[in-house]
Amino acid sequence: MTLELRVDGLTCPNCTSELEQEIRLLEHGQSAKLSYNAGKLTVDEKVDLEKVRRILRSDGATLKKDRDGHAHFHDLNHDHDHDHNHAHGSGSTKRIIGLLSVSALLYLGTMATQAWLPPAASIPLYVAASLLSGYSTFWRGLKNLAKFKFNIDALMTIALVGAASIGDWKEATLVAILFGLNELLEGLGMEKARKSMETLLQVAPKEAVKLEDGLEKIVPIASLEIGDTVIVRPGEKIPSDGTVAGGKSSVNEAAITGESLPVEKAAGEPVFGGSINNEGVLQIRIGKAYEDSSLAKILHLVQEAQETKTPTELFINKFSKYYTPLIILVALLVLLIPPLLFGGDWQKWLYQGLAVLIVGCPCALILSSPIAIVSGIARNARNGILVKGGVFLEQLGKLDTLAFDKTGTLTKGEPHVEKTVVYDKDRFFLVAGAIEKTSVHPLAKAVMKEIGRLGAAVGDADKIHTLSGQGITATYEGRSYWLGNEKSIAHINFMEEVRSAIQLLKDEGLTLVLLADESEVLGMFGIADEIRAESADVIGELHRSGIRRTVMLTGDHPKTAEKVAGAVGVSEYYGSLLPEDKVAKVKQLAASGTVGMIGDGINDAPALASAQLGIAMGKGTDSAIETADVVLMQDHLGKLPAAIRIARRVNRIIRFNIGVALGFKLIALLLTIPGWLTLWIAILSDMGATIFVTLVSLTVLIEKRS
């Protein structure tokens, strides 16, 4: 069994990775995972937690355990409900702000009175101000230097000690204060992104009102079993997936689908856990244990999504390992070359070398990606779009080709009567209704829906008999009738008018249901899969959003495919495809672009798996959640363009952040050539870039109101 534990005060992704490696060296710690993005540690329950705490404390992080001590991912939120403070080793955010404020006042006061104070008095005041704001950094840096680990804290410690050694107490103190402020703002930025994710976890109900032997009993949702009946009153959350056993109400399913409009529910209709009952009292028969419910899986996927690293993040982390030693080498060259080769002043170039060390802190570079990624995943999740990791979010933003399954994706997957041709108005609808009303075939349901829409009378047929692969024979008021495809009425010698009508409907890609008596055709229904109302608008919006090719792949007849493709506006279409043909076509498309495949997650599983990005429509179905890389929890494509725009925005922001982080540092380093770089310019360049990339990344969370 594993434990999931909340960790506060993780200072940076690199430090988090190093802490994870140390925990893995403990007995039973081999499987430990420490996530900077999620602020979470997953570890074997047999590990010595006191040793884990000591390792975390060495970097200023603190450990919290779930209330019940178990590894329920949704319980992480329970512990967090009452403590939203972000820690940085010296305690809570308020304490850090207090220390920084006192340090800044002490620094300003010392500067203001320095002219009247002897050095013996001003230096201790500067030291005190430095320790108040930077002692945790200094302490961590010393320990890392002792282990020959040259990370951010080690660089800052070398710079502080070096500045103090050459008597630059004023600038050394300013560096300590600004770096402390930088760390605080950096942590608050990441915490803001984490909190946006954690608000999603608050939709999980904690208790349910169980109906047992006519009595109501409050129980934890984890104790509910399949078949239990619960009472859900107005304003309460439905505890798990199930079916309405009694009552009638509207339900807000935004937690699952991202759709804010309420959905009417009555007896026999399915409901999702986490949905909010609006007005009536509902009795819900539990269909799944909470841990197997759609909501539980969604929350689990959202948590897991934070822990995957994109290729960009992996590259930055790898780059940082070489970047820091390189900066130390550059600092040494700045220190040594001017004095040794050009007779430069040792103290001046030591100062410049220390400034280079501070410029070399890779804070902004490391933070250029994770905050934007977490914000993008959270923003999409709020809209009912589950992206299963940063790598898939990055891929979603790179798509230039989208392949669509037809049935259930661009169309509703429900046949409807699109055209009727009637030769005998008195008998056609009356007899067709009499025969079809006893059938459960999808085409029969479409016929009955059309007859109901027209308000036509329906009789009662006798001697109903099914002809396999053809249709139905029956009698009505003593006369025999045949209803079905062309084969079912082979005994009729078609008139040219009927033959032309049949061919015309077939050319339009419609499926035919004909009705005939012993001698003539009474009429025919032309049936098609109804196109979703939003499909054409979505395809148009996707093209405007930069999707170069939209391709429809279907097993239906090419004529049907042509008709649907023309109606929705896709770039290309292919019909009569078997599942293996769809896979081959997706691979062919991938040779000339980045392809996403969209389907229902069941029939299209092979094609979804073979695409660079699988996107499933599911509205909570298990197969959709498990199959694809991205899941649209609605039963339509309406929010897909927004998801792609968010992903592209995240990718743009990450590229921009990397440019800003490296640009600031390059400008600062160029100032060393004329010897203009100072310690405070160095720390401001690093701090400015860090704050800037953090704020830019958090803009992903801002939703524009139309």
Side-chain angles (χ1 to χ4, degrees), residues 137 152-153 156 175-183 361 363 683:
T137 300
I152 296 168
D153 296 320
M156 291 304 299
V175 166
I177 292 171
L178 291 177
F179 188 73
L181 179 61
N182 187 40
E183 268 205 309
C361 290
C363 302
I683 189 64

Side-chain angles (χ1 to χ4, degrees), residues 107-122:
Y107 172 74
L108 292 172
T110 306
M111 272 185 47
T113 59
Q114 189 173 357
W116 300 282
L117 288 174
S122 61

